[in-house]
Amino acid sequence: MKGDFSKEKELAPVSGMVGLLLAFLFLAGGTAAIICSALFLKGPAFGILLVVGILLVCAVSLPVMGLKVVAPKEALVLVLFGTYYGTIRQEGFYLVNPFCTGVNPSVKSTPTTIAGGNIQLCTTFSKKVSLKTMTLNNEKQKVNDQLGNPVIVGAVVIWRVVNPTKAVFNVNNYKTFLSIQCDSVIRNVARLYPYDIGDDGSGSSDADEKTLRGSTREVADKMCYELQERVKDAGLEVSDVQITHLSYAPEIASAMLQRQQAVAIIAARQKIVEGAVGMVEMALEKLNENDVVELDEERKAAMVSNLLVVLCGNKDAQPIVNSGSIY
């Protein structure tokens, strides 16, 4: 299996209580041998029994070094003299080969300085690989949309390790690897969509057009799928991607806001004109039906003009009383 980590070798080691029992027996036997050699023996027998006792006491460290504790939702990847030895997935207290060491490149030793900077100690954290569901809060980054407009996008990734052996051996640091791939995926997916409908300036507003702002869930699903394809060889599983921030970049935000305001004003005016034309038509029909007043074409045109001015104006109309004849 050397160099091939496609299939994980799951270990089933013996209970750690066996290691504790061995350590106790070595300690008790070594202590008894040393005491007996000092009290009852002389000559060569004394030296031999003393050496045996010392060796037994020193051997206590071997089973102690092989004791490993694995908590729920954790895994321990072990190597023996540079060769992959196996992975412990089940929680419990175990005894393994004392020369095996845990591997987790995402955990680094931290030097600690004490005694005024004269002594440095390396604090080594647990080498276990967490199998719990975790969250990667990807920082906001500036990307370009389909039309080249700079936008700011932030996302949260829900992920977990499903194959700790691949996560440890296939990439240098699986957490850093996931973060970098997330940045790349956000950049690649964002360039496939415009930020909003009609951003090209054509004024078209196709309801089926996919945009970053209007199709957030679809964009996030595409990011999730592409990110999963990139990190599956690292033994990671991406369960969800959520877009947490989406906005124009500061350098174009003001101009885009003015454009959006203009579009909103035009849309509102269009609705006002449609309603005003309908009201004018209704007024003329009512006048003709009830024979309230007979108007020629010129007077009808003037009346239509006045009604449209009143109904479409930004300010309230100021009434003017005409005391003379309409003709």
Side-chain angles (χ1 to χ4, degrees):
M1 188 172 177
K2 185 175 181 180
D4 180 15
F5 310 110
S6 59
K7 291 184 179 180
E8 192 173 63
K9 179 183 177 183
E10 187 171 351
L11 297 178
V14 299
S15 172
M17 300 306 296
V18 176
L20 289 179
L21 179 60
L22 289 176
F24 175 76
L25 292 177
F26 287 158
L27 180 61
T31 304
I34 293 173
I35 293 175
C36 290
S37 66
L39 296 179
F40 304 108
L41 298 178
K42 294 182 181 179
F46 165 77
I48 294 174
L49 191 58
L50 179 63
V51 172
V52 171
I54 293 175
L55 291 177
L56 286 175
V57 172
C58 294
V60 173
S61 61
L62 292 178
V64 173
M65 290 170 53
L67 296 177
K68 305 293 181 182
V69 178
V70 180
K73 290 291 184 179
E74 286 185 346
L76 182 61
V77 181
L78 299 173
V79 295
L80 179 62
F81 302 126
T83 303
Y84 174 55
Y85 183 76
T87 302
I88 303 176
R89 278 178 169 268
Q90 295 296 325
E91 66 270 14
F93 181 43
Y94 300 108
L95 173 66
V96 299
N97 191 321
F99 298 102
C100 287
T101 56
V103 181
N104 189 350
S106 65
V107 178
K108 302 296 183 181
S109 298
T110 303
T112 303
T113 303
I114 60 176
N118 297 323
I119 302 177
Q120 280 193 346
L121 298 177
C122 282
T123 303
T124 303
F125 296 95
S126 173
K127 294 293 186 178
K128 302 181 185 70
V129 179
S130 176
L131 304 180
K132 300 176 182 178
T133 300
M134 291 179 282
T135 301
L136 170 65
N137 186 13
N138 191 266
E139 297 296 334
K140 301 175 185 177
Q141 59 174 321
K142 183 186 295 186
V143 299
N144 293 327
D145 68 355
Q146 187 182 46
L147 305 174
N149 297 322
V151 296
I152 306 297
V153 182
V156 169
V157 179
I158 311 299
W159 66 283
R160 67 187 183 97
V161 177
V162 293
N163 190 321
T165 306
K166 284 185 176 182
V168 167
F169 293 117
N170 284 3
V171 293
N172 184 40
N173 185 322
Y174 60 89
K175 293 182 179 179
T176 304
F177 178 76
L178 176 65
S179 179
I180 294 175
Q181 293 302 320
C182 183
D183 292 342
S184 177
V185 166
I186 290 177
R187 189 174 303 277
N188 288 339
V189 174
R191 66 182 178 83
L192 301 178
Y193 301 89
Y195 178 87
D196 203 355
I197 294 176
D199 271 354
D200 56 358
S202 62
S204 61
S205 56
D206 187 358
D208 296 332
E209 183 180 1
K210 306 300 182 181
T211 64
L212 294 176
R213 190 177 69 88
S215 307
T216 305
R217 184 64 265 171
E218 179 179 328
V219 174
D221 290 341
K222 188 173 183 63
M223 290 180 180
C224 182
Y225 174 78
E226 185 171 335
L227 183 60
Q228 177 60 56
E229 290 298 310
R230 293 190 177 204
V231 302
K232 65 180 180 180
D233 289 336
L236 308 181
E237 179 184 84
V238 178
S239 57
D240 193 19
V241 174
Q242 295 286 344
I243 296 178
T244 57
H245 181 85
L246 181 62
S247 65
Y248 284 112
E251 56 266 28
I252 67 167
S254 177
M256 289 301 179
L257 179 60
Q258 292 178 359
R259 187 189 63 80
Q260 291 175 351
Q261 290 175 342
V263 171
I265 291 174
I266 293 173
R269 287 295 179 187
Q270 183 178 358
K271 292 293 183 182
I272 292 173
V273 171
E274 290 176 358
V277 171
M279 294 175 67
V280 170
E281 291 178 351
M282 182 181 64
L284 293 176
E285 289 177 0
K286 290 295 183 182
L287 290 175
N288 291 332
E289 289 177 2
N290 300 330
D291 295 329
V292 176
V293 63
E294 185 177 348
L295 299 175
D296 58 15
E297 295 301 323
E298 182 180 353
R299 297 301 179 180
K300 285 183 180 181
M303 182 178 178
V304 169
S305 176
N306 292 334
L307 287 175
L308 288 177
V309 170
V310 170
L311 295 174
C312 298
N314 284 330
K315 299 180 180 179
D316 295 337
Q318 299 294 327
I320 297 177
V321 178
N322 187 358
S323 58
S325 171
I326 191 172
Y327 297 101

